[in-house]
């Protein structure tokens, strides 16, 4: 299991137990999403052949995948769906909202579902 | 003499940015004032209601971006203020020059009135602190 997956599993446990709440949970979410964005960029740089993927936001990376010709659309759709589920609460935080704990937990569970990211488009 | 002052809460999107901005407004350029979160990573803006209630006090928080306490050299600060006891316990392990502990409730998820109450509590605690260190 990767260090990100371990961190997120532990974050889900801590938030579910009430050990981490409120803005602390938002901070934990930001930390996890930042790291997920880096790993997702590395994945997209390979499957979509984008050299500067590390400069793109998670939303931009998702868009690149959605608009990419792909021989395995259903498998890529799962990757995209999980990435969107990670990005949605993160966008709310970046737009100064206070998303509820359930929403943050949903995004963290999406990171767990998404990892490990496939090595190339169409693989699982 | 306090020349560098750090406020720390958990996520660095509500309480500590509000406290740091309020302190900076009172202290001017004579003291370096920063804020950070105990576990947050970089890049989150201040919560919308935090920006709004500080704007009501004539203080601009719109350009704030979160900083993780792990990314700062804590020894550079003469005084570190933990916004609640839980944060204080986590900061104690860093061997700080001086640690002050407040008890300000996290307004996350609350209404604008919740955030106003937080700003008022911060102002009260800040007045006490500044009268002690100035």
């Amino acid at each position: 299991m990767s260090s990100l997956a371990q961190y997120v599993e532990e974050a889900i446990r801590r938030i579910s137990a009430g050990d981490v709440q409120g803005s602390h949970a938002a901070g934990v979410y930001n930390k996890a999403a930042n790291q997920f964005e880096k790993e997702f960029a590395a994945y997209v740089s390979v499957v979509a052949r984008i050299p500067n993927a590390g400069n793109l936001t998670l939303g931009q990376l998702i868009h690149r995948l959605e608009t990419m010709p792909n021989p395995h659309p259903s498998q890529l759709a799962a990757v995209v769906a999980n990435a969107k589920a990670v990005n949605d609460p993160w966008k709310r935080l970046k737009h100064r909202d206070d998303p509820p704990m359930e929403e943050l937990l949903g995004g963290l569970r999406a990171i767990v579902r998404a990892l490990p990211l496939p090595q190339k488009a169409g693989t699982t | 003499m306090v020349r560098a002052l750090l406020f720390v809460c958990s996520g660095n999107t509500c309480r500590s940015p509000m406290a740091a901005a309020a302190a900076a407004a009172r202290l001017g350029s004579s003291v370096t004032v920063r804020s950070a979160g105990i576990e947050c990573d970089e890049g989150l803006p201040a919560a919308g209601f935090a920006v709004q209630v500080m704007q009501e006090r004539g203080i601009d928080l719109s350009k704030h971006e979160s900083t993780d306490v792990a990314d700062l050299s804590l020894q550079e600060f003469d005084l570190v203020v933990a916004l609640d006891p839980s944060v204080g316990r986590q900061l104690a392990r860093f061997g700080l020059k001086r640690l002050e502990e407040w008890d300000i409730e996290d307004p996350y998820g609350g209404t604008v009135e919740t955030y106003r109450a937080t700003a008022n509590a911060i102002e009260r605690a800040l007045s006490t602190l500044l009268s002690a260190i100035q």
Side-chain angles (χ1 to χ4, degrees), chain A residues 8 12 29 32-33 36 82-90 100-114:
Chain A
V8 172
I12 291 169
Y29 193 86
F36 179 77
N82 283 327
K84 282 183 173 176
V86 176
N87 201 35
D88 287 347
W90 204 22
M101 292 303 104
E102 269 313 309
E103 206 170 312
L104 299 181
L105 280 170
L108 291 171
R109 292 187 184 110
I111 294 178
V112 172
R113 284 196 305 274

Side-chain angles (χ1 to χ4, degrees), chain B residues 8 10 12 14 20 22 39 42-43 45 48 50 52 62 77-78 80 84 86 93 95 98-99 101-102 106 126 131 134:
Chain B
V8 183
S10 46
N12 195 220
C14 317
E39 187 178 12
E42 62 186 2
Q52 182 180 330
S62 65
F77 296 94
D78 304 305
V80 177
D84 68 45
S86 165
R93 64 191 158 97
R98 183 178 163 194
L99 175 63
E101 201 172 278
W102 290 357
D106 185 357
L126 188 60
S131 63
Q134 279 184 313

Side-chain angles (χ1 to χ4, degrees), chain A residues 7 11 14 19-35 38 90 92-101 104, chain B residues 9-15 38-49 51 61-64 66 68 90 106-110 115:
Chain A
Y7 179 75
R14 292 160 70 205
D19 297 338
V20 168
Q21 303 176 42
S23 62
H24 190 179
V28 166
Y29 193 86
N30 185 51
K31 192 169 180 170
N34 264 333
Q35 188 57 42
K38 289 189 180 81
W90 204 22
R92 287 192 63 184
L93 286 169
K94 288 177 173 179
H95 287 96
R96 308 183 186 281
D97 282 344
D98 294 352
M101 292 303 104
L104 299 181
Chain B
C9 65
S10 46
N12 195 220
T13 57
C14 317
R15 294 169 293 171
I38 201 76
E39 187 178 12
C40 63
D41 216 347
E42 62 186 2
L44 274 189
F49 286 151
V51 175
L61 205 53
S62 65
K63 294 176 182 65
H64 170 78
S66 63
D68 197 300
Q90 294 176 73
D106 185 357
Y108 183 94
Y115 277 80

Side-chain angles (χ1 to χ4, degrees), chain A residues 69-84:
Chain A
N70 175 40
H72 304 282
S74 63
Q75 288 166 333
L76 196 61
V79 173
V80 167
N82 283 327
K84 282 183 173 176

Side-chain angles (χ1 to χ4, degrees), chain B residues 48-122:
Chain B
F49 286 151
V51 175
Q52 182 180 330
V53 302
M54 296 312 285
Q55 187 63 48
E56 291 168 357
R57 290 163 163 75
I59 296 170
D60 181 16
L61 205 53
S62 65
K63 294 176 182 65
H64 170 78
E65 284 195 13
S66 63
T67 300
D68 197 300
V69 77
D71 294 331
L72 296 176
S73 299
L74 296 179
Q75 284 301 317
E76 291 176 6
F77 296 94
D78 304 305
L79 172 61
V80 177
V81 178
L83 270 288
D84 68 45
S86 165
V87 171
R89 281 193 294 277
Q90 294 176 73
L91 286 172
R93 64 191 158 97
F94 288 104
L96 305 168
K97 287 180 187 168
R98 183 178 163 194
L99 175 63
E100 177 100 7
E101 201 172 278
W102 290 357
D103 194 1
I104 310 289
E105 210 168 310
D106 185 357
Y108 183 94
T111 65
V112 68
E113 283 304 327
T114 311
Y115 277 80
R116 283 195 188 106
T118 300
N120 290 338
I122 286 170

